[in-house]
Amino acid sequence: MTTAAIIVAAGRGTRAGGDLPKQWQDLRGETVAARTLAAFAALPCIDRIVLVLHPDDMDRAAAFPGATAVAGGATRDASVRAGLESLVDSGVTRVLIHDVARPLVPARVVTAVLDSLDTHDGAAPALEITDALWRGAAGRVTGTEDRSGLYRAQTPQGFRFDAILAAHRAHPGGAADDVEVARAAGLAVAIVPGDERNLKITRPEDFARAAQFLETPMDIRTGNGFDVHAFEPGDHVILCGIRIPHDRALKGHSDADVGMHTITDAIYGALAEGDIGRHFPPSDPQWKGAASHIFLEHAVGLCAARGFRIANVDLTLICERPKIGPHAAAMQAELARIMALDPNRISVKATTSERLGFTGREEGIAALATVTVIGG
Ligand code: MG
């Protein structure tokens, strides 16, 4: 499967104001076109990018070495057609057609369109209309319209390449978008969820809205945690909140749950909030024998208070015994409950150290964890 993105940038965009077509105007330090191209260039699922330019703008192609520049036509249809024709015999099987004026398209929207092409000829993002719809004339409301079943269409609109090429070749012209061209050829087009960030810059005030979205980008942070607890005489260990019978116990100030401590430290790490010892000093007698879910709940709460949500947790326990495998699902479920997370965002796995080192000699258990948090 080879996927191309055609970025349609041949319009003159006069409604946005300014001396230049909107795609060449500045949006927080980069042109609109540069931001749109970068959004697609960052996606591993896109193999080729075609940039359709106005014939007068062909010298701008040098700024986009990762894209193939093609001269557009007099209408949007003609420009898309030129982009499609440039891909004939290229081996491309799927194509996304995108307005250059939508620079903030989220990766999630692009992948949803591509996923939908597995089962449909075409797919495109859209948002349901939630405002009331009016008709108006001369500044007065002349009627209302039923909004049910109405959508605001976005791009990229995705198609199987041969099907949309044939549809464009057969179309007489004048279509509002490529979905209209596809439907005229009898193709079924699925609707996938669009995104408010994926706005089309049309009027001067749209630059301000897009800039506002850019001010609050997604803030993704990763933290790691590492912890070790030694064995002492006993008859069970507690790992990730699960009591496991064993011929030794883990030694520690609290319940010595090395798995939960490690995840807790990884969360503090992602937030640059120090470690478990800073929030729960071992010198403080109130934490003696404490159940470790108290620490984990504190870290999760701090995460939420700082405006972050936990995207995933990956924990590795290192020991020869006890065997973790039979208990991993229970640990995952218990962590999910404590952290109020979907269990499929929590990985609990284990390894031995091939009888090497302190874990190999069964002197204790080590654990490491990676946690990703998302804010903004
Ligand atoms: Mg510890």
Side-chain angles (χ1 to χ4, degrees):
M1 201 103 73
T2 304
T3 304
I6 296 176
I7 311 298
V8 189
R12 288 282 132 213
T14 47
R15 276 180 295 174
D19 299 332
L20 288 167
K22 60 192 174 185
Q23 62 269 35
W24 308 122
Q25 290 187 34
D26 179 84
L27 176 59
R28 294 222 152 223
E30 287 184 69
T31 64
V32 170
R35 289 191 177 276
T36 306
L37 269 284
F40 283 88
L43 298 174
C45 54
I46 305 295
D47 302 299
R48 298 186 53 161
I49 299 178
V50 173
L51 177 61
V52 184
L53 295 169
H54 190 278
D56 294 346
D57 290 341
M58 292 305 286
D59 57 338
R60 290 186 178 269
F64 305 102
T68 306
V70 170
T75 61
R76 188 183 184 284
D77 293 340
S79 292
V80 172
R81 171 90 184 268
L84 289 169
E85 296 288 354
S86 79
L87 292 168
V88 171
D89 295 330
S90 67
V92 164
T93 52
R94 305 186 299 186
V95 65
L96 296 171
I97 302 169
H98 187 69
D99 295 328
V100 71
R102 297 185 189 271
L104 305 184
V105 57
R108 182 185 63 69
V109 171
V110 177
T111 52
V113 170
L114 287 175
D115 288 348
S116 192
L117 289 184
D118 291 345
T119 46
H120 297 87
D121 298 326
L127 292 169
E128 268 183 78
I129 289 179
T130 52
D131 294 328
L133 286 181
W134 295 340
R135 285 192 178 281
R140 296 178 70 159
V141 178
T142 57
T144 53
E145 291 289 325
D146 181 8
R147 68 178 172 231
S148 58
L150 292 182
Y151 289 83
R152 291 187 281 142
Q154 298 188 334
T155 69
Q157 299 181 349
F159 306 93
R160 294 178 186 164
F161 177 72
D162 291 341
I164 193 65
L165 176 66
H168 263 276
R169 284 177 174 173
H171 198 270
D177 63 6
D178 301 290
V179 165
E180 186 177 334
V181 174
R183 293 194 69 252
L187 303 182
V189 180
I191 300 171
V192 304
D195 195 301
E196 291 291 354
R197 281 179 73 100
N198 191 20
L199 80 162
K200 184 176 185 179
I201 294 181
T202 307
R203 300 156 302 175
E205 56 267 35
D206 297 329
F207 278 92
R209 268 182 72 210
Q212 217 162 27
F213 279 126
L214 285 169
E215 263 172 31
T216 52
M218 206 180 259
D219 188 355
I220 301 174
R221 302 183 183 195
T222 303
N224 67 64
F226 178 74
D227 194 23
V228 172
H229 280 257
F231 283 125
E232 64 179 7
D235 61 3
H236 72 276
V237 296
I238 293 177
L239 292 173
C240 302
I242 303 298
R243 183 188 167 105
I244 301 171
H246 191 49
D247 53 13
R248 272 167 278 188
L250 287 172
K251 186 177 170 183
H253 187 68
S254 64
D255 65 4
D257 188 332
V258 65
M260 225 180 268
H261 293 181
T262 303
I263 295 171
T264 304
D265 264 348
I267 296 170
Y268 289 139
L271 301 172
E273 284 277 359
D275 61 15
I276 206 167
R278 177 164 129 194
H279 297 277
F280 300 94
S283 54
D284 188 335
Q286 69 168 310
W287 308 122
K288 185 160 174 52
S292 294
H293 67 83
I294 295 168
F295 312 147
L296 183 57
E297 280 161 359
H298 177 267
V300 170
L302 188 59
C303 194
R306 290 272 310 271
F308 289 89
R309 63 188 165 83
I310 295 170
N312 80 306
V313 175
D314 184 19
L315 173 72
T316 302
L317 295 163
I318 306 166
C319 59
E320 303 293 328
R321 290 186 313 128
K323 289 294 167 213
I324 303 301
H327 306 284
M331 294 179 185
Q332 182 190 31
E334 180 62 1
L335 291 170
R337 188 187 67 76
I338 294 167
M339 301 176 77
L341 267 189
D342 192 316
N344 70 22
R345 292 182 182 272
I346 299 175
S347 150
V348 176
K349 58 195 199 299
T351 183
T352 71
S353 54
E354 301 288 348
R355 302 227 149 258
L356 297 171
F358 69 87
T359 53
R361 292 189 297 272
E362 298 195 39
E363 294 167 5
I365 297 180
L368 38 102
T370 304
V371 167
T372 305
V373 301
I374 302 176

